[in-house]
């Protein structure tokens, strides 16, 4: 079968939406376009039809993520997923590559040298109308919850780098421009957590959420939910306790997938952790 593997471009995006819908993913054209603006991809094309995709996003020289590896259901078991992955990996120079695997793709990724390092709990559902009047849980001591200000920009970038181990300035700049953010400010003016919420797919995504502890992450998440009562919300969390709390308020865990990594570890400093992903593609 003669399939051309080309750079993924904006001209492919209408078909990309059809392809992602065919496998049950909620990406709209604007979601694809935002992701393409931040990264690069490959398009598998057969007789003018987009039949496979994959993308990567590189953050400095230390970290890259892989995602949107999709093969049309009509073209399964023909090695297209492996070809897409090999093409993407040839283009990546980062010393660490992360992806979040569907169960169907995990064996392929293992064969290419990726190993499971954690589990991601995909939680989603409709936020009840009653959340509009919900009283937030107590904040950590000596902490103020407030909206993001432009003057917080460098501090939020630093929190994310502390949580990830690599700077992701272009990603955070894009997410902050797209959506809205909340921060936790301590008495000394330092930030101890941040969460970004933006429109995506069927509703909104909360993420990334980075904080210096579970209670802080829960407060940020809860405040985002209150702001989006009577909306469909999704959050991909690495924290089982946060997933259990979300499930208890109706934001159910609908899937659990492995985080997989190839390459070296990233240095982390300080207490800040990543409690929710920007997305399964972006990490």
């Amino acid at each position: 079968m003669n399939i051309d593997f080309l750079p993924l471009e904006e001209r492919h995006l209408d078909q990309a939406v059809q392809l992602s819908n065919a496998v049950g993913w909620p990406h709209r054209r604007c979601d694809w376009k935002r992701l393409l603006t931040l990264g690069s991809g490959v398009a598998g094309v057969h007789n003018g039809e987009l039949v496979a995709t994959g993308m990567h996003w590189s953050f400095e020289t230390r970290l890259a993520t892989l995602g949107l590896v999709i093969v049309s259901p009509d073209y399964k078991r023909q090695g297209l997923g492996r070809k897409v992955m090999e093409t993407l990996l040839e283009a990546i120079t980062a010393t660490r590559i992360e992806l979040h695997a569907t169960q169907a793709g995990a064996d392929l990724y293992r064969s290419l040298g990726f190993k499971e390092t954690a589990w991601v709990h995909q939680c989603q559902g409709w936020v009840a109308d009653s959340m509009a009047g919900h009283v937030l849980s107590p904040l950590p001591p000596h902490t103020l919850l407030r909206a993001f200000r432009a003057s917080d920009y460098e501090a939020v970038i630093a929190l994310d780098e502390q949580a990830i181990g690599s700077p992701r300035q272009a990603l955070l700049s894009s997410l902050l421009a797209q959506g809205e953010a909340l921060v936790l400010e301590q008495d000394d003016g330092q930030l101890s957590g941040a969460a970004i919420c933006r429109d995506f797919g069927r509703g909104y995504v909360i993420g990334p959420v980075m904080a210096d502890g579970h209670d802080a992450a829960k407060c940020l998440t809860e405040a985002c939910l209150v702001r989006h009562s009577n909306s469909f919300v999704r959050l991909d969390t690495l924290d089982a306790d946060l997933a259990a709390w979300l499930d208890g308020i109706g934001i159910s865990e609908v899937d659990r997938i492995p985080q997989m990594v190839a390459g070296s570890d990233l240095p982390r400093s300080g207490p800040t952790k990543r409690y929710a992903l920007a997305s399964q593609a972006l990490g």
Side-chain angles (χ1 to χ4, degrees):
M1 183 179 296
N2 184 24
I3 295 178
D4 297 317
F5 288 89
L6 311 170
L8 185 67
E9 298 176 347
E10 188 169 349
R11 63 190 174 94
H12 296 121
L13 295 189
D14 288 337
Q15 289 191 56
V17 174
Q18 297 174 18
L19 189 62
S20 53
N21 287 344
V23 296
W25 295 4
H27 298 67
R28 306 163 299 173
R29 192 183 195 281
C30 61
D31 299 325
W32 274 96
K33 186 174 180 179
R34 288 171 179 174
L35 291 166
L36 185 59
T37 299
L38 289 166
S40 301
V42 59
V45 179
H46 180 236
N47 292 335
E49 178 187 1
L50 185 69
V51 299
T53 61
M55 293 193 69
H56 70 91
W57 300 268
S58 293
F59 308 109
E60 208 206 27
T61 59
R62 284 176 274 177
L63 175 66
T65 63
L66 276 171
L68 287 174
V69 178
I70 308 173
V71 175
S72 167
D74 296 332
Y75 288 77
K76 292 287 189 182
R77 303 188 183 279
Q78 298 184 42
L80 297 190
R82 179 173 294 275
K83 178 63 176 176
V84 166
M85 282 294 296
E86 290 172 347
T87 303
L88 293 173
L89 292 172
E90 287 176 1
I92 295 173
T93 59
T95 55
R96 178 183 174 91
I97 306 172
E98 295 182 358
L99 61 82
H100 298 91
T102 62
Q103 295 299 332
D107 286 342
L108 169 61
Y109 305 138
R110 290 188 196 99
S111 74
L112 292 168
F114 286 83
K115 297 180 180 179
E116 291 96 336
T117 56
W119 288 94
V120 174
H121 308 263
Q122 180 180 327
C123 302
Q124 62 187 47
W126 285 91
V127 183
D129 285 338
S130 58
M131 285 293 285
H134 179 78
V135 177
L136 294 175
S137 300
L139 293 170
H142 310 292
T143 303
L144 169 70
L145 173 69
R146 61 169 175 80
F148 169 85
R149 302 169 185 156
S151 57
D152 298 322
Y153 175 77
E154 295 295 340
V156 170
I157 298 295
L159 279 177
D160 184 70
E161 181 175 355
Q162 188 180 117
I164 303 300
S166 179
R168 305 191 298 174
Q169 185 168 343
L171 171 61
L172 270 291
S173 296
S174 175
L175 297 179
L176 288 167
Q178 291 171 31
E180 58 184 8
L182 298 172
V183 300
L184 291 174
E185 181 182 354
Q186 297 175 315
D187 285 349
D188 61 3
Q190 299 296 309
L191 299 189
S192 58
I196 302 174
C197 185
R198 69 189 189 282
D199 67 293
F200 170 83
R202 298 171 60 187
Y204 296 90
V205 163
I206 298 173
V209 176
M210 49 270 196
D212 62 2
H214 171 82
D215 289 345
K218 178 184 171 184
C219 287
L220 287 162
T221 302
E222 191 176 21
C224 289
L225 293 172
V226 167
R227 286 181 170 227
H228 293 286
S229 61
N230 198 30
S231 299
F232 186 85
V233 169
R234 171 173 171 172
L235 186 143
D236 294 285
T237 179
L238 296 155
D239 187 81
D241 291 338
L242 187 61
W245 173 75
L246 286 165
D247 193 68
I249 60 171
I251 311 300
S252 303
E253 181 175 331
V254 298
D255 200 6
R256 187 177 302 181
I257 64 169
Q259 180 185 77
M260 304 185 75
V261 171
S264 59
D265 291 337
L266 292 174
R268 288 185 57 247
S269 61
T272 306
K273 290 175 56 180
R274 171 173 51 174
Y275 281 88
L277 308 176
S279 71
Q280 291 183 14
L282 296 168

